[in-house]
Amino acid sequence: MSEKTAFAARLEQLTPRRRSLVRVAAVLLCAVCMVLGSPDHNQWYLAFVGWVFWLAAIEGLAPKKAFWLGWLCGIATVFFGFYWLTELLIRFADFPTWATLLVHFIFAAFQGLQWAVPAAALNWLRRRTGRDVLLLAPLCWVAGEAMLPHIFPSYLALMWCWQPLWLQVAEIGGVTTVGLVQLLINAGLYAALRDWLLARRVNRRALLVAGATLVATPIYGAVRMAQVDAMIADAPKLKVGVVQGNFGIMEWGNPRQKFQILRREQQESARLEAEGAEVLLWGETAYPFSYALPRGDGFDLPITNPRRVRRDFTIPLVFGVVTADRKVSEFAWNTARVLEADGRLGDNYDKVYPLWFGEYTPLVDPHWFKEMVPSASHINPGDGPKALRVHTGPEGQHEWRLGPLICYEDILPRFARGVAGEGIHAFVNLTNDSWFGKSKEQDQHMGLAVLRTIENRRALLRSVNAGISVYVDPNGRVLERIESTNPDEDGPTPASGFVAEVPMIDPDYRTLYTRTGELFNALVVLGLCAIGLRGRRKA
């Protein structure tokens, strides 16, 4: 009997009920590792062992049965890892608890396919080719991350978001490269443990794969971080003041409180300018008066107008605002605008990926959906990625190109790569996470956004209306951070902020991922197809 099927043979000695319980326990242990490894719990070391349980659970099963066990793992991981979705639906959509849990379960079932499909593909390929998990498991997982649709991305790299030394490989093929590293370690460890415990055989190949990956990955990270640090040191610097307005959804929606929100942001902007800021960044829809500013060329409102954007500060500002043009569409745009030092409204960018069923209604009539869910909205998607030009210095002689990402666009690696391709110096992200109160969502959102800095070697500045606002350098290190607040429950909160000295990386600089995009993922998928078509290898 092959050592590779020894685990399945041992299970056959148990009753069917006990066999099932052992496998279910294994996938649930994997789910526990995934949830505890998320950014808010930060037990990141569990990424080294979590998939050992997943691989043990599906060992020897038919592909269909592996699919169901993998799906259970994914549903449990997503349901408990994304529990903030239930809080959101209860709080703002006024769903009854049973309906909220049903929607949450449907979401977890859909997202959980990311665990189910690779499990089935892995076992199908093992039966067809006779190969072990060492090669197939990492490739199947990467193919799943690359090809399966996401509502909220749940890449494995999220478990290492605060460990930049282990993330540097993301510049090679994107976020899925990190998943490949994690599965190489887990598959090697699983195969070595399986063969030793069940057959007392030393699987040297498995130990070599796991050991080499464990050593090579941080070495590569250390070397690349030192090289990028040298590039950061040589780059021109721009002092950016990031303002966190600290206002909630209810507060923003109250017409009597909008002036207070604006005034607090203006006062914090003035403070940051006094600290040396040359450019300011406000969050998504941080300017609270929708439709007050023109979409096209124009100027700030007169100084006598209480809705004027600039007051008490003089430097350029990038800010979020809802804009409209009734001649073009009855619906609005979620826009990032530049207010230059001379009061001119410069470049603008419209959010390209509005959130489904929150900002955008696919498949059904948006008017009907808004009647059903009054807190929902429908906005026009933008045309595509672009750079925002901001001018500093006397007479604006210095032009900086900032790459705008609104809300969850900073967790979309392919879109962010497109923004980087516009020739930018740094990323700016304008976000409103106030919908989620203070929950796991803020850490998960921010943790995924960190990867964009390494993939494209551009700094990221995030202004989030109630946090978490950060500055992340091109090595993925979080150097400035303002924690999240919950003004809707805690009452009005003063705005806060920081000034970051940001390296303006050469707009023509490209990482391998920025240049090649999905080539790495395509090679993985093609490799799996070639292995499958070739069939069982010769003994």
Side-chain angles (χ1 to χ4, degrees):
M1 180 185 299
S2 170
E3 294 90 342
K4 296 173 184 178
T5 59
F7 181 79
R10 290 287 183 92
L11 282 179
E12 290 298 324
Q13 299 174 9
L14 303 175
T15 65
R17 179 180 176 84
R18 288 188 176 181
R19 288 201 301 269
S20 298
L21 288 175
V22 169
R23 293 186 185 276
V24 168
V27 296
L28 291 180
L29 280 172
C30 177
V32 168
C33 291
M34 300 305 99
V35 174
L36 293 180
S38 62
D40 52 321
H41 296 295
N42 196 28
Q43 306 302 308
W44 65 278
Y45 54 86
L46 293 175
F48 295 112
V49 297
W51 269 257
V52 170
F53 302 111
W54 182 73
L55 291 167
I58 64 174
E59 176 77 43
L61 289 179
K64 184 177 180 179
K65 291 183 178 180
F67 176 91
W68 292 114
L69 270 177
W71 205 10
L72 174 62
C73 181
I75 290 172
T77 300
V78 176
F79 190 88
F80 291 102
F82 288 79
Y83 198 73
W84 47 262
L85 181 62
T86 290
E87 299 170 0
L88 169 69
L89 293 173
I90 292 176
R91 185 179 181 191
F92 288 106
D94 294 326
F95 281 15
T97 301
W98 69 267
T100 296
L101 292 174
L102 177 61
V103 171
H104 191 163
F105 179 80
I106 293 172
F107 165 74
F110 175 78
Q111 200 93 345
L113 292 173
Q114 186 176 319
W115 282 257
V117 174
L122 170 60
N123 280 22
W124 182 84
L125 285 167
R126 290 187 69 187
R127 285 191 170 192
R128 177 172 173 81
T129 67
R131 293 179 181 271
D132 199 9
V133 298
L134 280 178
L135 173 67
L136 295 179
L139 296 183
C140 287
W141 186 268
V142 170
E145 284 196 335
M147 298 183 67
L148 293 174
H150 302 261
I151 298 177
F152 292 101
S154 48
Y155 297 108
L156 292 194
L158 181 63
M159 298 181 72
W160 284 351
C161 63
W162 313 137
Q163 309 299 324
L165 189 68
W166 292 87
L167 293 177
Q168 300 304 309
V169 293
E171 69 175 353
I172 299 172
V175 63
T176 55
T177 319
V178 181
L180 179 77
V181 167
Q182 292 172 333
L183 262 295
L184 284 170
I185 295 169
N186 277 265
L189 179 60
Y190 167 71
L193 286 173
R194 176 200 62 198
D195 291 355
W196 174 252
L197 293 175
L198 301 177
R200 289 297 185 266
R201 183 177 77 90
V202 177
N203 190 329
R204 292 182 176 83
R205 179 180 296 178
L207 292 173
L208 178 62
V209 168
T213 308
L214 280 166
V215 172
T217 303
I219 289 177
Y220 178 87
V223 171
R224 286 299 291 140
M225 290 181 75
Q227 293 172 340
V228 173
D229 278 339
M231 182 170 64
I232 291 172
D234 292 339
K237 308 298 189 298
L238 178 68
K239 292 185 177 180
V240 180
V242 174
V243 176
Q244 180 169 301
N246 288 329
F247 56 88
I249 298 299
M250 302 299 183
E251 191 177 5
W252 188 92
N254 187 332
R256 290 178 295 180
Q257 295 182 333
K258 288 179 179 288
F259 293 100
Q260 299 173 22
I261 292 173
L262 178 60
R263 189 64 190 136
R264 293 197 299 264
E265 291 175 318
Q266 292 166 339
Q267 291 172 339
E268 182 64 13
S269 297
R271 186 186 73 81
L272 297 180
E273 182 178 10
E275 288 189 6
E278 300 169 273
V279 173
L280 293 165
L281 177 66
W282 293 1
E284 179 184 10
T285 65
Y287 178 70
F289 299 103
S290 302
Y291 321 128
L293 300 173
R295 276 186 54 77
D297 295 337
F299 288 86
D300 194 2
L301 300 173
I303 195 168
T304 55
N305 192 319
R307 298 184 179 188
R308 178 181 171 88
V309 181
R310 174 178 283 120
R311 200 175 298 276
D312 297 337
F313 64 93
T314 63
I315 54 179
L317 167 70
V318 179
F319 66 104
V321 58
V322 177
T323 61
D325 185 346
R326 300 305 181 190
K327 296 179 181 179
V328 177
S329 173
E330 64 174 301
F331 299 111
W333 288 264
N334 187 344
T335 304
R337 293 230 62 171
V338 175
L339 177 64
E340 298 282 13
D342 60 3
R344 178 176 55 86
L345 290 168
D347 288 349
N348 64 3
Y349 161 77
D350 298 317
K351 185 177 182 180
V352 175
Y353 287 98
L355 183 63
W356 278 23
F357 300 110
E359 295 176 308
Y360 183 75
T361 308
L363 306 177
V364 299
D365 177 29
H367 301 93
W368 172 84
F369 186 77
K370 289 172 67 176
E371 289 181 3
M372 297 293 294
V373 185
S375 58
S377 62
H378 183 83
I379 62 173
N380 294 307
D383 295 330
K386 65 181 296 186
L388 293 177
R389 296 167 298 173
V390 181
H391 299 85
T392 62
E395 300 182 358
Q397 77 269 34
H398 299 302
E399 179 177 286
W400 310 106
R401 295 174 61 85
L402 303 179
L405 302 163
I406 296 181
C407 195
Y408 82 130
E409 290 177 338
D410 64 351
I411 65 175
L412 305 177
R414 296 164 192 170
F415 181 71
R417 172 180 169 265
V419 175
E422 293 294 311
I424 63 169
H425 292 94
F427 287 117
V428 290
N429 175 239
L430 297 72
T431 289
N432 181 16
D433 277 346
S434 302
W435 296 96
F436 309 101
K438 288 183 69 174
S439 65
K440 296 162 62 75
E441 188 276 341
Q442 284 87 3
D443 281 291
Q444 290 177 3
H445 186 171
M446 206 269 279
L448 284 168
V450 166
L451 272 294
R452 308 294 84 77
T453 65
I454 300 169
E455 290 166 351
N456 303 284
R457 297 302 181 187
R458 299 295 191 276
L460 170 66
L461 296 139
R462 297 184 80 230
S463 175
V464 186
N465 291 343
I468 302 168
S469 299
V470 295
Y471 161 52
V472 188
D473 78 357
N475 265 324
R477 293 174 295 212
V478 180
L479 301 183
E480 298 282 354
R481 175 177 173 134
I482 306 174
E483 295 299 335
S484 59
T485 60
N486 193 1
D488 282 335
E489 293 187 4
D490 301 334
T493 304
S496 51
F498 59 80
V499 177
E501 188 174 69
V502 183
M504 297 287 102
I505 302 299
D506 182 354
D508 294 327
Y509 178 80
R510 301 287 190 274
T511 65
L512 183 61
Y513 173 68
T514 310
R515 291 180 184 277
T516 62
E518 298 306 300
L519 178 62
F520 171 78
N521 291 329
L523 291 174
V524 167
V525 173
L526 289 174
L528 278 176
C529 292
I531 292 171
L533 290 172
R534 184 178 180 183
R536 185 166 295 274
R537 59 181 178 176
K538 296 180 180 179

